[in-house]
Amino acid sequence: MLAQPRVVIVGGGISGLATAHYLHRRLGDGVRLTLVEGGARLGGKISTEQFGGHLVDVGPDALMVRAPVVAALIEDLGVSDLVVAPAGSGARIWSRGKLRRLPAGTLFGIPDRLLPLMKSRLLSPLGLARAALDLVKAAPAGLPDDPTIAEIVRPRMGGQVFDRLVDPLLGGVHAGRADELSARSTAPDIDALARGNRSLYLGLRRRRRNAPPKPAGAGGAVLVTLRGGLARLIDALAVHVVGDDVRLGTAVVSVSRGTAGYEVKLSDGTVLEADAVVLATPAFAAADMVRKEAPDLAAALAGIPYVDVATICLAYPRSAVAHNLVGTGFLVPPEEGKLIVGCTWSSAKWPHLADDTTMIIRCMVGRRRDQRWMDLDEDTLVSQVHAELVEAMGLTGRPTEQHIERWLQAMPQYIVGHQGRLAAAEVALGRLPGLYLTGSAYRGVGLASCVADAERTVDKLAQLLTDARPASEVPA
């Protein structure tokens, strides 16, 4: 390996910090690491604020602990004792004026059981009959190479399953519209079901019967958080870069090849020399950094669209909630025309936020092709969200505290053609050994996907640095 290789990581969010963590785990002190973050703090969209008498996440609020890489990271960082599982399970769908239970046995909204679907009353009798046709109807002839989720679901199970189940679930995760999202990139399981089975319903049932038991932490929970908020995860990761060169409030202007490796030009005029560079930033930011050196790479990255979103945290007196909340919250289909995309009953979902006097509710607004909230001032936005909560939940009082976090260009959209853009980026990166991309723009938007991608990136980087050992260091 190079005598202490110089590595620059651009971006101090979960992807950049996880990259630094895995790099140190693989190479120990045998690497000179510089982490550059344009913002004033580490953590990116993970942000925890004092709100309603508790520490509340105003960005992502959960980790998928069933992802082995996340369970291992929690153990490595020594924060296992902080893990909190949800107090309840089950979400609602706000459809046609009522909160309706999400049917048991669905994969991104595709049902494998008809009785729970019937009991939910999400579909009309005609919609139920159309969904049941999937059991006997011949599969549509030929799928596009990169179909949208709508192109898979609508012809097989009808418009109501798509509009009232699939679109709010996948759209809620991605802040997108499932009639534009690539099935291969956002829901490969659905794509595989469609290609391997005549019936989505029967294919999903067969898949569930044959699936091996999945390991899970926190008593079997799929999603967990940390007591004190996910900022505790960032704090634990930050401990591992204390001895490194960490530069906050400094933007990267450009990344270019130098005489020996790469030159990273910073906004303060500094130029860092590096043997390898990891861009753990949004795709559009990475595109700006490499545009002069690699215009083909920049074009591929700039083709990944993003959506602006906001989280609105509201604290209500417990007496304002007319009934006990069972479940974790609700999602809203785009066809309803509401401002709210999704709502989490935080005080009911997370035991550490339970409170006898205060109910904390988190709402998300903003999705692709719906940016009505962008021009609203804070009070107007809160008033409109509150009015929708009154309609959905029957609240009888106004919020006593509010916090809005506007996340501009926050959510990458894996629209049709995403795999082609990734392939073009990989070809361009093949001409730039030592330059890497990681983050939510590429192979998964969730925190677990970001951690897994960071680990894969370090595997490739460590191999490159090992292969670069001088001949004198290679054993005879």
Side-chain angles (χ1 to χ4, degrees):
M1 189 171 67
L2 292 171
Q4 204 178 26
R6 304 159 300 175
V7 177
V8 173
I9 298 173
V10 185
I14 184 68
S15 294
L17 288 170
T19 299
H21 169 75
Y22 290 123
L23 195 58
H24 279 310
R25 197 173 70 174
R26 288 289 298 272
L27 302 180
D29 295 329
V31 61
R32 289 168 54 194
L33 180 62
T34 301
L35 190 149
V36 183
E37 164 56 43
R41 63 174 184 85
L42 297 173
K45 295 179 185 67
I46 293 179
S47 179
T48 305
E49 299 286 341
Q50 187 74 38
F51 180 80
H54 300 273
L55 289 168
V56 176
D57 287 307
V58 297
D61 75 334
L63 287 163
M64 184 177 286
V65 77
R66 275 190 176 171
V69 67
V70 172
L73 180 66
I74 288 172
E75 186 69 28
D76 284 350
L77 296 177
V79 294
S80 300
D81 60 326
L82 300 179
V83 170
V84 179
S89 62
R92 302 291 190 272
I93 303 288
W94 189 14
S95 177
R96 303 176 337 278
K98 290 185 178 180
L99 294 180
R100 304 173 190 271
R101 184 182 292 275
L102 179 66
T106 64
L107 175 68
F108 297 123
I110 296 176
D112 73 350
R113 305 172 202 171
L114 289 179
L115 187 58
L117 183 61
M118 292 173 61
K119 287 182 175 180
S120 72
R121 298 191 177 182
L122 271 165
L123 308 188
S124 70
L126 185 61
L128 277 169
R130 177 62 185 85
L133 272 180
D134 176 65
L135 289 166
V136 296
K137 193 171 182 285
L143 275 176
D145 181 58
D146 188 13
T148 67
I149 296 160
E151 287 174 322
I152 290 177
V153 177
R154 281 185 181 276
R156 291 174 179 250
M157 306 198 83
Q160 288 190 18
V161 167
F162 176 79
D163 292 334
R164 300 178 187 177
L165 280 164
V166 176
D167 206 6
L169 281 165
L170 278 171
V173 171
H174 294 269
R177 301 296 290 263
D179 56 359
E180 296 180 82
L181 293 172
S182 160
R184 286 177 59 197
S185 300
T186 58
D189 288 347
I190 292 178
D191 187 60
L193 276 175
R195 295 184 189 280
N197 298 274
R198 177 191 58 77
S199 162
L200 290 179
Y201 176 88
L202 293 177
L204 183 53
R205 285 184 69 88
R206 190 177 305 114
R207 179 179 183 269
R208 288 193 187 279
R209 279 198 309 268
N210 298 333
K214 294 181 179 179
V222 177
L223 295 171
V224 302
T225 192
L226 299 182
R227 191 168 54 255
L230 291 181
R232 300 293 294 271
L233 181 70
I234 297 302
D235 293 342
L237 284 167
V239 168
H240 293 265
V241 296
V242 166
D244 297 316
D245 181 9
V246 177
R247 306 189 182 203
L248 299 177
T250 307
V252 170
V253 176
S254 65
V255 177
S256 58
R257 282 180 285 195
T259 54
Y262 289 90
E263 294 181 349
V264 181
K265 184 176 181 181
L266 307 184
S267 55
D268 62 7
T270 303
V271 176
L272 304 174
E273 294 185 346
D275 299 297
V277 178
V278 180
L279 301 181
T281 66
F284 58 84
D288 288 342
M289 295 173 200
V290 302
R291 182 162 282 113
K292 186 174 181 180
E293 178 65 39
D296 50 347
L297 175 59
L301 299 179
I304 299 173
Y306 278 72
V307 167
D308 306 314
V309 299
T311 52
I312 296 98
C313 295
L314 302 175
Y316 287 89
R318 174 64 70 169
S319 58
V321 182
H323 54 82
N324 290 329
L325 300 178
V326 179
T328 58
F330 63 88
L331 296 163
V332 187
E335 69 172 7
E336 294 294 324
K338 304 298 184 183
L339 206 61
I340 296 174
V341 172
C343 171
T344 300
W345 300 326
S346 299
S347 297
K349 180 178 181 178
W350 302 117
H352 67 295
L353 299 181
D355 192 315
D356 291 336
T357 60
T358 302
M359 169 62 71
I360 296 172
I361 297 175
R362 274 175 36 119
C363 296
M364 189 182 87
V365 301
R367 67 173 117 212
R368 188 165 169 87
R369 291 192 272 129
D370 183 8
Q371 300 293 285
R372 292 171 291 169
W373 62 276
M374 289 283 289
D375 295 328
L376 302 180
D377 60 47
E378 181 166 316
D379 289 340
T380 303
L381 178 56
V382 167
S383 291
Q384 291 197 23
V385 168
H386 167 71
E388 291 186 2
L389 291 176
V390 169
E391 183 182 353
M393 300 170 56
L395 297 177
T396 58
R398 292 198 59 81
T400 56
E401 191 175 345
Q402 63 192 47
H403 180 96
I404 295 177
E405 202 72 42
R406 296 175 185 257
W407 301 107
L408 304 182
Q409 290 183 288
M411 297 294 291
Q413 301 293 291
Y414 297 178
I415 61 174
V416 168
H418 185 73
Q419 293 298 320
R421 286 181 281 276
L422 293 189
E426 288 296 328
V427 169
L429 286 170
R431 297 188 288 268
L432 298 163
L435 182 64
Y436 300 90
L437 300 169
T438 191
S440 64
Y442 310 113
R443 285 163 287 272
V445 299
L447 299 183
S449 296
C450 290
V451 171
D453 200 54
E455 186 178 47
R456 285 191 296 266
T457 299
V458 169
D459 287 343
K460 293 185 287 186
L461 173 54
Q463 186 63 52
L464 174 85
L465 297 177
T466 299
D467 291 345
R469 287 187 302 176
S472 60
E473 295 183 12
V474 178

